[in-house]
């Protein structure tokens, strides 16, 4: 089976570096599935999961937005933040979710509302990735 080299990097350093058979994730334009030999492209990413498939094994990485660059033999994801499923602190994510929900109910200004919405999305994404709800 052909493979692709996948790197997921953040401002804090590399999070994932391995060969996989398929990568799938959510771009702003919709779900993307990338196999070896894919045409080169760059796409902005949503807050979501990156699924890295090898045979029957699928690893999950939570990414909090960023960019995906595809070359025929390589995928690079530059993410604002990224965590492997097993590196997620679920209690921290649940606390972040509760805080964001309280802020959303507090009827603040538009900017605070948008920030709380994004914090809620990041927290829910981490919870879903950690619990493998994909
Ligand atoms: P929090 O309010 O808990 O800090 P956040 O969504 O504001 O959550 P970010 O700004 O996206 O956090 O991330 C800051 C750093 O903390 C990043 O390095 C990110 O990978 C890490 N991080 C955030 N939440 C978690 C978590 N639940 N488990 C592990 N690492 C996390």
């Amino acid at each position: 089976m052909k493979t692709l080299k996948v790197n997921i990097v953040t401002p804090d350093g590399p999070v994932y570096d391995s060969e996989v058979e398929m990568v799938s994730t959510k771009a702003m334009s919709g779900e993307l599935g990338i196999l070896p030999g894919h045409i080169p492209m760059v796409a902005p990413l949503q807050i979501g999961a990156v699924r890295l498939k090898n045979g029957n094994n699928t690893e999950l990485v939570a990414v909090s937005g960023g960019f995906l660059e595809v070359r025929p033999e390589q995928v690079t994801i530059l993410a604002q933040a990224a965590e492997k499923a097993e590196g997620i602190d679920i209690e921290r994510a649940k606390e972040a979710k509760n805080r964001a929900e309280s802020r959303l109910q507090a009827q603040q200004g538009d900017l605070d509302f948008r920030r709380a919405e994004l914090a809620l999305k990041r927290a829910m994404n981490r919870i879903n990735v950690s619990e493998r709800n994909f």
Side-chain angles (χ1 to χ4, degrees), residues 10 12 64 80-83 87-94 96 99 118-119 122-123 126:
T10 74
D12 296 330
S64 299
Q80 268 117 39
E83 305 87 35
I88 292 174
D89 178 341
I90 186 96
E91 286 312 315
R92 176 175 169 179
K94 284 180 179 167
R99 274 198 310 278
L118 289 172
R122 291 194 300 275
R126 288 177 176 127

Side-chain angles (χ1 to χ4, degrees), residues 11-87:
D12 296 330
V15 170
Y16 187 91
D17 179 358
S18 192
E19 295 278 334
V20 306
E21 290 166 4
M22 182 175 171
V23 185
S24 50
T25 191
K26 259 194 202 164
M28 290 294 183
S29 54
E31 193 73 29
L32 270 182
I34 298 148
L35 294 166
H38 196 285
I39 52 162
M41 61 176 272
V42 173
L45 295 180
Q46 296 189 37
I47 295 170
V50 178
R51 289 186 295 278
L52 302 135
K53 210 164 172 236
N54 266 317
N56 290 330
N57 180 38
T58 301
E59 290 176 277
L60 291 176
V61 176
V63 295
S64 299
F67 285 89
L68 168 100
E69 186 198 19
V70 181
R71 283 183 272 152
E73 309 303 329
Q74 181 156 4
V75 171
T76 306
I77 293 176
L78 303 171
Q80 268 117 39
E83 305 87 35
K84 287 186 190 175
E86 60 273 21

